[in-house]
């Protein structure tokens, strides 16, 4: 009886969290996720991962272009700039692509602001 109650409580909580999380994606993505009750929250996450996790060369190229397009606006943008770079780098490495420390340093330094205060680093 206690085990059945625990399972029922887990199913109810899983359903509630799944409903909350599925409100966030864009409508076009929302339509891709199975809506039946047999799909748990974990199943929905796995579906999204399998659908959007690409490891092909074109995806790696797109991420490399994003890294190259990053530009730090000013000193106040440092955390955002570094955070985006780290996120893109992790995605690229997660795909199995080579991304050396030297490449990271070059990309970071060439994306600094072009104002006179930053010229020392160019």
């Amino acid at each position: 009886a206690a085990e059945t109650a625990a399972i029922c409580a887990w199913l109810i909580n899983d359903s509630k969290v799944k409903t909350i999380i599925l409100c966030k994606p864009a409508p076009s993505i929302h339509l891709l996720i199975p809506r039946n009750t047999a799909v748990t929250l974990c199943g929905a996450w796995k579906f999204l991962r399998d659908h959007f996790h690409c490891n092909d060369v074109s995806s790696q190229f797109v991420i490399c272009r994003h890294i190259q397009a990053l530009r730090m606006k000013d000193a106040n943008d440092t955390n955002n700039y570094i955070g985006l770079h780290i996120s893109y780098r992790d995605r690229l490495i997660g795909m199995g692509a080579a991304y050396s420390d030297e490449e990271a340093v070059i990309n970071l330094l060439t994306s600094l602001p072009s104002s006179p205060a930053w010229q020392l680093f160019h």
Side-chain angles (χ1 to χ4, degrees), residues 45-64:
W45 279 119
K46 285 180 183 176
F47 177 82
L48 290 171
R49 182 198 64 214
D50 294 344
H51 189 75
F52 291 104
H53 185 73
C54 300
N55 288 333
D56 58 13
V57 175
S58 63
S59 296
Q60 293 174 14
F61 176 77
V62 169
I63 292 175
C64 284

Side-chain angles (χ1 to χ4, degrees), residues 12-62:
I12 290 169
N13 288 335
D14 183 77
S15 178
K16 287 178 183 177
V17 173
K18 180 179 163 189
T19 301
I20 292 168
I21 289 176
L22 292 181
C23 291
K24 298 297 179 187
S28 58
I29 295 171
H30 193 282
L31 294 173
L32 296 173
I33 302 169
R35 302 297 301 161
N36 61 26
T37 56
V39 177
T40 63
L41 176 61
C42 183
W45 279 119
K46 285 180 183 176
F47 177 82
L48 290 171
R49 182 198 64 214
D50 294 344
H51 189 75
F52 291 104
H53 185 73
C54 300
N55 288 333
D56 58 13
V57 175
S58 63
S59 296
Q60 293 174 14
F61 176 77
V62 169

